[in-house]
Amino acid sequence: MTGYTTFEWSMMALWIIVIIILVYGIIAIHDIPASIARKRNHPHVEAIETAGWVSLFMLHVIWPILWIWASYIPPAEKGERCAEGNEEDHELLLQTIDELKATVDTLQKRLDAIESKGV
């Protein structure tokens, strides 16, 4: 018996396919935090992607931390993101600003009138 049988060749091919799928799966899993960050318009997307590759070489030791980091958005960016995404809130905000400007103008006119009387 000097050669391999058909069964042995097919098992070798099956092992190669399994290894390729596992490697692809591990690489796809490491990219989950980066895709979460991209979807949420996170301000540190590039850093999360880079840390994901570092995590891949560290056997995913820091991967849970990356997931938490990708899910966290600082309050300032979160507010800006919400204001940009919701037109009704944006219109309400503009209306409130206009009302406040009108109130300030009215108060300024009253103050000018009081000052001109010399009180």
Side-chain angles (χ1 to χ4, degrees):
M1 269 181 101
T2 58
Y4 293 109
T5 65
T6 305
F7 177 75
E8 290 171 334
W9 280 111
S10 54
M11 286 299 106
M12 179 66 78
L14 183 64
W15 271 112
I16 291 172
I17 291 170
V18 167
I19 289 171
I20 289 171
I21 290 172
L22 284 175
V23 168
Y24 177 78
I26 289 170
I27 291 173
I29 286 172
H30 102 277
D31 196 41
I32 291 173
S35 62
I36 290 171
R38 270 187 244 102
K39 181 179 174 185
R40 296 173 58 108
N41 297 326
H42 198 285
H44 305 135
V45 174
E46 294 85 9
I48 292 171
E49 287 176 349
T50 304
W53 282 105
V54 170
S55 175
L56 179 66
F57 294 112
M58 294 175 62
L59 302 176
H60 293 274
V61 172
I62 61 173
W63 190 77
I65 296 168
L66 293 178
W67 190 304
I68 294 169
W69 184 19
S71 299
Y72 172 75
I73 295 179
E77 282 84 1
K78 186 175 184 179
E80 292 169 5
R81 191 172 55 108
C82 291
E84 291 173 1
N86 193 345
E87 283 297 319
E88 292 175 2
D89 288 345
H90 187 68
E91 292 298 323
L92 181 63
L93 191 61
L94 290 176
Q95 181 183 1
T96 305
I97 290 171
D98 291 338
E99 291 171 1
L100 288 173
K101 283 181 181 178
T103 304
V104 168
D105 289 340
T106 304
L107 291 173
Q108 186 64 43
K109 288 177 186 176
R110 286 184 185 172
L111 182 64
D112 290 341
I114 291 172
E115 287 178 353
S116 67
K117 290 182 181 178
V119 173

